Amino acid sequence: MPSEIKTLGPTRRHSVRDGLLARPVLLWALFLVAITAIGILAKWLTPTLRPRPGGVGPVQVALQLGMLLMILPFAVRVGWDALGLRRLPASRDRLVLMFPTLTVVVGFFAGFRHVEVSTLTLAFTSVVLAGVVEETTFRGILLTRLLPRGPWTAVLLSSALFGLLHVANLFLGSPWQTVLLQVTFAAMAGTGYAAMRMRTGSLWPPVVLHALFDLTFRVTALEAGTPFHSAIQMLHGVGWLIYALIALRRAALVEEQCNTSLSRSKAST
């Protein structure tokens, strides 16, 4: 892997990339600026495009594709093993994943709305991209690079940064009250995703559950402001925060997962 990376381009480019990986908070800030700029540009170039039923449209998908292209060089540098993309959850991890899985699946009990095939295709594409891009960025790249600061710092800081990423929605026209709720609940949910990543050593559980959770708001009859919607949000926010604190309570296990991720990261570089 290292020899292949060195042949991809000038040494200076790789040194800049390594420097950003060594400063994960700065890397996050660049991501925030970049996706905000892409979103504003996309809305300016296509002012007539509007989200389809389910809140998804071509502009959103294009934004997610742009972010995928941005994180790919950093993901390659960190390494697929260190990111947890070459490992599937073991059978012993089923109990750890039971609560978050149930809280996501329950959203589908709201029933399904009638959507056109084109809308369903956009929705599916959007949630898959969101799961892959956001989890690779926050529970893959940033969490891995923050681990030298300690497991709890890595989990809490990467989750806070995940929540704060939603500040970009302010510049895309969302009301500040909505953005504040998004930041808060996304940060709490981020601790749950991080706990899954740390306990299983695999990035796939967060990717899949993230995509499924987003899908509930795209294809089900779940209506904002209803008691059922509020219950789902509380489960995914406060519930996942409590879940993370319990799942990561065994410091020895957390430390072991940290050492494993760090060794994989060093081996890939």
Side-chain angles (χ1 to χ4, degrees), residues 63-107:
L63 178 62
Q64 292 167 327
L65 284 171
M67 190 172 179
L68 176 62
L69 294 176
M70 284 190 295
I71 70 168
L72 190 58
F74 297 98
V76 170
R77 184 57 173 165
V78 173
W80 308 125
D81 286 329
L83 293 174
L85 288 170
R86 286 184 175 170
R87 178 176 178 179
L88 295 175
S91 57
R92 65 176 181 274
D93 297 324
R94 293 174 183 171
L95 185 61
V96 175
L97 299 173
M98 184 177 297
F99 174 75
T101 301
L102 289 176
T103 61
V104 169
V105 171
V106 71

Side-chain angles (χ1 to χ4, degrees), residues 82-84 87 92-93 96-97 138-140 143-144 146-148 150-156 158-159 190-203 205-206 243-244 247-262 264:
L83 293 174
R87 178 176 178 179
R92 65 176 181 274
D93 297 324
V96 175
L97 299 173
F138 289 94
R139 264 59 68 175
L143 181 63
T144 299
L146 288 168
L147 283 176
W152 287 105
T153 299
V155 168
L156 295 176
S158 64
S159 300
T191 62
Y193 290 123
M196 284 182 259
R197 168 72 177 89
M198 298 284 286
R199 285 295 302 268
T200 66
S202 174
L203 192 63
Y243 159 78
L248 296 176
R249 71 189 184 281
R250 289 185 285 179
L253 179 58
V254 173
E255 190 67 30
E256 179 184 350
Q257 294 290 346
C258 288
N259 293 335
T260 301
S261 294
L262 284 173
R264 287 174 180 167

Side-chain angles (χ1 to χ4, degrees), residues 3-26:
S3 60
E4 294 175 359
I5 291 175
K6 290 180 181 178
T7 62
L8 291 178
T11 303
R12 184 177 180 181
R13 285 182 62 188
H14 296 304
S15 64
V16 171
R17 181 174 58 177
D18 291 341
L20 288 172
L21 285 172
R23 299 169 179 83
V25 177
L26 176 59

Side-chain angles (χ1 to χ4, degrees), residues 173-194:
S174 297
W176 70 266
Q177 299 94 331
T178 300
V179 173
L180 180 61
L181 287 175
Q182 289 175 336
V183 169
T184 302
F185 280 93
M188 289 190 290
T191 62
Y193 290 123

Side-chain angles (χ1 to χ4, degrees), residues 161-179:
L161 294 176
F162 176 59
L164 288 171
L165 187 74
H166 293 75
V167 169
N169 291 332
L170 276 175
F171 304 97
L172 301 178
S174 297
W176 70 266
Q177 299 94 331
T178 300
V179 173

Side-chain angles (χ1 to χ4, degrees), residues 219-244:
V219 300
T220 70
L222 196 61
E223 296 291 340
T226 62
F228 189 51
H229 178 271
S230 300
I232 295 295
Q233 292 284 47
M234 289 298 292
L235 278 174
H236 196 245
V238 179
W240 278 33
L241 175 60
I242 297 173
Y243 159 78

